[in-house]
Amino acid sequence: MSKKPSEISTVVIISKNHQHTRSVQIKTKHLNRIRHYVFSTLSVVVVLVGLVIYLRTENTRQEQEKQQLLAQIVKLKGAVPVASAEVKEGSAQSYIQAIEGKLKTINSYLKRRGLKGFSNKGVGGDNNAEGKKLSDKEVYSLYNDYLNRLVGTIAFTPMGYPRISSFTSFFGYRNDPFEDGHAEFHPGIDFKGHKGDEVKCTASGKVVFAGWSGGYGNCIRIAHINNLETVYGHLSKIKVKVGQEVSVGDEIGLVGSTGHSTGAHLHYEVRKNGRPINPVNFLTLNK
């Protein structure tokens, strides 16, 4: 079907010399909307130009802020040597003395637990030797070596809880739950639990026993430094093998009620030179 004549308009294009003409037919509605088209196009152009100007302005502002920050950093760096060069209270030496005091305190906690601990002799260097004064770098190096040894000792020393729960029995003599009127020596502490609860080792070491051990039922023994050993009894499941190296916090078994037991719980011991010592002293450093 042909369009109505009113729907089509003819635009005649004449060249400058009037020698050539060309006619183009356009829908009349487009001619009526040409002002809207031009306005929309101009609006888009204006928005794009404005966006470009805004981005350039923002980039310039950020660059100025960056330069200001760099100038402040340079200023601060230049001020550091002046402050650190002054040997007075609050200087590097004061910090070193404070660290030394805290290390001695940690060492005393270890010794209270029957551990050998470390000698503080030579830590931080001997500034009186031949009148030579160690540089800060040399002092830091000595303290770093000391801290590395201390970290190793703490990692391999049984501390903390094999499982977080309340106690049901403590170290020492108690009534025998299987024979009324009789007392027995309890060589560890019992942690309340449910069958299947996880049990974690309290220090890094090597598994020296993993299996059935009489009244202990399913039992694990782990050897640590300083002739220390931890024992985990009445387990429902053992998850390690003899000879296996374990790290502090590793899951080694599950709570159970095997062996000489009246209900699900974890029996935990700490031994020194093969003899049981009170594990309570190893649960926290605040002793």
Side-chain angles (χ1 to χ4, degrees):
M1 186 178 76
S2 61
K3 296 182 179 293
K4 295 180 179 179
S6 58
E7 294 179 352
I8 301 295
S9 298
T10 301
V11 177
V12 179
I13 303 173
I14 304 174
S15 63
K16 274 188 175 184
N17 54 15
H18 301 280
Q19 293 180 354
H20 301 284
T21 61
R22 184 179 179 184
S23 61
V24 178
Q25 289 187 334
I26 302 175
K27 291 182 179 180
T28 303
K29 64 180 181 179
H30 290 325
L31 287 176
N32 295 333
R33 295 175 183 174
I34 191 167
R35 285 184 299 175
H36 299 291
Y37 295 151
V38 172
F39 178 78
S40 299
T41 302
L42 289 175
S43 298
V44 171
V45 171
V46 170
V47 170
L48 290 175
V49 171
L51 182 61
V52 170
I53 294 173
Y54 170 77
L55 291 175
R56 290 188 63 181
T57 303
E58 187 68 15
N59 186 58
T60 301
R61 184 185 64 80
Q62 291 179 355
E63 185 64 26
Q64 290 174 346
E65 290 182 354
K66 178 181 177 181
Q67 293 302 324
Q68 290 175 354
L69 289 173
L70 289 174
Q72 291 177 1
I73 291 172
V74 171
K75 184 178 180 181
L76 289 173
K77 284 183 176 180
V80 169
V82 176
S84 61
E86 299 177 5
V87 181
K88 58 182 181 180
E89 186 176 359
S91 67
Q93 291 298 326
S94 298
Y95 286 118
I96 289 172
Q97 291 173 2
I99 292 172
E100 183 177 11
K102 292 176 182 177
L103 291 176
K104 287 180 179 179
T105 301
I106 293 174
N107 216 359
S108 69
Y109 286 145
L110 296 176
K111 290 179 179 179
R112 291 180 194 178
R113 287 167 168 75
L115 303 177
K116 183 178 180 181
F118 291 110
S119 171
N120 292 313
K121 185 178 180 180
V123 177
D126 185 359
N127 288 331
N128 296 321
E130 302 297 330
K132 178 185 177 182
K133 184 178 179 66
L134 296 178
S135 67
D136 287 345
K137 185 175 181 180
E138 291 172 321
V139 175
Y140 294 151
S141 178
L142 289 169
Y143 271 103
N144 186 58
D145 292 341
Y146 181 84
L147 286 170
N148 285 336
R149 296 197 306 273
L150 194 59
V151 168
T153 293
I154 293 175
F156 286 88
T157 299
M159 292 181 183
Y161 294 70
R163 60 168 277 97
I164 303 299
S165 68
S166 58
F167 307 139
T168 58
S169 185
F170 290 90
F171 180 86
Y173 285 94
R174 65 175 186 177
N175 290 329
D176 189 336
F178 292 93
E179 295 185 32
D180 292 337
H182 290 79
E184 67 165 0
F185 179 73
H186 189 240
I189 53 178
D190 293 339
F191 289 88
K192 184 178 181 181
H194 298 90
K195 183 178 180 180
D197 289 345
E198 66 177 3
V199 176
K200 297 180 179 181
C201 62
T202 54
S204 301
K206 184 177 182 179
V207 179
V208 294
F209 181 86
W212 188 271
S213 180
Y216 288 93
N218 288 326
C219 176
I220 298 171
R221 297 202 327 265
I222 301 175
H224 313 285
I225 61 172
N226 294 322
N227 296 319
L228 289 169
E229 187 177 274
T230 50
V231 181
Y232 310 80
H234 306 312
L235 303 174
S236 62
K237 185 175 183 179
I238 295 173
K239 292 192 171 185
V240 291
K241 298 183 291 186
V242 173
Q244 181 177 337
E245 299 286 345
V246 293
S247 297
V248 56
D250 285 352
E251 182 180 347
I252 58 174
L254 302 178
V255 171
S257 184
T258 56
H260 201 65
S261 171
T262 57
H265 69 282
L266 171 67
H267 175 82
Y268 174 67
E269 292 181 23
V270 176
R271 297 178 181 178
K272 173 78 170 179
N273 295 318
R275 301 183 63 179
I277 55 180
N278 195 343
V280 171
N281 294 331
F282 291 85
L283 296 181
T284 173
L285 282 175
N286 297 321
K287 292 287 182 181

